[in-house]
Amino acid sequence: MGRNHARILSSLEGVEFVGAVDPAGDPHGSVPAVCGVPVLSEVADLLALGVDYAVVACPTALHEAVGLQLAAHDVCALIEKPLAHTPQAARRLVDAFEERGLVAGVGHVERFNPALQQLRARLEAGELGEVFQVVTRRQGPFPHRIADVGVVKDLATHDIDLTSWVTGQAYASLAARTLSKSGREHEDMVAVVGSLTDGTMVSHLVNWLSPLKERFTAVTGERGCFVADTLTADLTFHANGAVATEWEALRAFRGVAEGDTVRYAFAKREPLLVEHERFRDAVRNGTGQGSGIVTAREGLRTVQVSAAVLESANEAAPPADGARDAAPLVEPLEPVERMAPVEPLAPTEHMEPVDRVAAAEAVEVPREPVEVAPTRTERTAPTAAEHTA
């Protein structure tokens, strides 16, 4: 992810990109070749250059240490999501930047996807009416670059943030289940159900075990359903029907009424570029409030919700002794007794086995010509159709 930030910063208007930091160096030489800046080994070396702000795109467990070092030197920071690995670390980062009046943002880049930008604007305009439910699906192959956190902190934080953002509501309750199938320390799959403070139902399905890459958000309300695909940046609206379906065979599949489906056309800019433009302007103005960035305090709330997801999943986890079979939710069905096989019927005396029946000889049946007596049919009056041109 750091290379993508470097690519944007190297050509961002009004920003001078002066250097990158990576203790492992840059073995491929991509940053100097593309961006023309040196790759430094320590954050202190970067601070010595007198920077105004920095982008933190290191492993999540290091966000706190790097962020606190930047804040101590009065340097604003755009920190990749999640803000930190624990709610306590995230709160320390928020306090450090707020106490010094520094701008701190979190890289929840999905907020800047044009499809979700359009979705939020239309929800704010009341086009959907009352919101009933938000459903998200975020799945795809395993990202080998992620090693220090699981799918909840790496991917589900996107859905937690965008759900609160597009609806303007906080999470009120949730329940979650996780699975770990890749042999790693952290979870690979999570399913979350919950509700927001206004009663809206939410559902999130997130994993990195699927060969299918999907980024799906659906918001259902009293006037229809918005569907956002953030891979293609498309937004589609399925309206509730106003015209009754008279074809009975279709009612079982499409409901009593079928509405219009509209896919909107709008400008589509790269979300990461828009995110950097917003953060640049926030640093210039000296405040993150009202700038359109994801503030550090908003990032803290997302970390807190993700921690609640893991806590809920851990409470429902199977025993540590390795037992896989959980107690059934209801009484199990009684086993069905196996029926004895049916004996085949014995052939009767007058029946011969099929393979012993001799083939009958072909017998030619004489056919006499059939005489048909002529009949006289009276001419009927022409029908109305015969008078039709």
Side-chain angles (χ1 to χ4, degrees), residues 257-279:
E258 181 181 0
D260 296 329
T261 297
V262 179
R263 190 176 71 176
Y264 299 103
F266 44 82
K268 298 179 180 180
R269 302 182 66 217
E270 183 182 357
L272 188 61
L273 172 59
V274 177
E275 179 182 55
H276 273 281
E277 290 175 344
R278 297 282 179 86
F279 190 78

Side-chain angles (χ1 to χ4, degrees), residues 236-258:
T236 304
F237 179 59
H238 302 271
N240 290 342
V243 179
T245 300
E246 298 182 3
W247 187 358
E248 291 291 336
L250 291 181
R251 290 192 181 186
F253 299 100
R254 301 186 181 179
V256 176
E258 181 181 0

